[in-house]
Amino acid sequence: QVQLVESGGGLVQPGGSLRLSCVASGRIFSTYAVGWYRQAPGKQRELVGAITSGGTITYADSVKGRFTVSRDNAKNTVYLQMNSATPEDTAVYYCNVGGPRLGYWGQGTQVTVSS
């Protein structure tokens, strides 16, 4: 069973930057989609960015140009680089491997954007 652990969350000022990490228990194969999602209290979990099994990188419109998803397969780690953070980015961020329905989720890491 795949285990995922997110880290790097915390408090950041508006306009600031933060890098989130997601470490998998094993090899992240290219056949699996890897994505970052976020969820604020009272709201549904939403896609932030993802790398599909075909290698396509997608982002939510709200984060395009600000966030970057990357992967270091040697370290079994996926990153979410957050730049130009806004209060609307405040949420618990989760990584996912294998899709939101059939795949695996990490425990989440809290990101708070506030002055």
Side-chain angles (χ1 to χ4, degrees):
Q1 182 173 307
V2 176
Q3 297 182 41
L4 305 171
V5 179
E6 299 97 335
S7 63
L11 178 65
V12 63
Q13 298 271 23
S17 297
L18 204 64
R19 179 186 284 190
L20 308 184
S21 300
C22 172
V23 181
S25 62
R27 179 181 179 87
I28 301 177
F29 298 103
S30 61
T31 54
Y32 296 110
V34 181
W36 282 98
Y37 295 74
R38 66 186 181 187
Q39 186 170 26
K43 297 182 179 180
Q44 292 187 340
R45 193 169 299 183
E46 64 177 355
L47 175 70
V48 177
I51 302 176
T52 70
S53 59
T56 301
I57 302 176
T58 61
Y59 297 99
D61 288 341
S62 60
V63 306
K64 285 182 179 178
R66 300 188 299 117
F67 291 8
T68 303
V69 175
S70 62
R71 177 168 57 191
D72 186 339
N73 288 330
K75 297 180 179 179
N76 290 331
T77 302
V78 178
Y79 302 96
L80 180 66
Q81 178 67 45
M82 305 170 57
N83 297 327
S84 302
T86 75
E88 294 181 352
D89 297 322
T90 297
V92 178
Y93 284 71
Y94 301 88
C95 64
N96 170 275
V97 175
R101 292 289 185 177
L102 301 178
Y104 299 90
W105 295 94
Q107 86 289 345
T109 184
Q110 175 72 48
V111 172
T112 302
V113 184
S114 176
S115 60

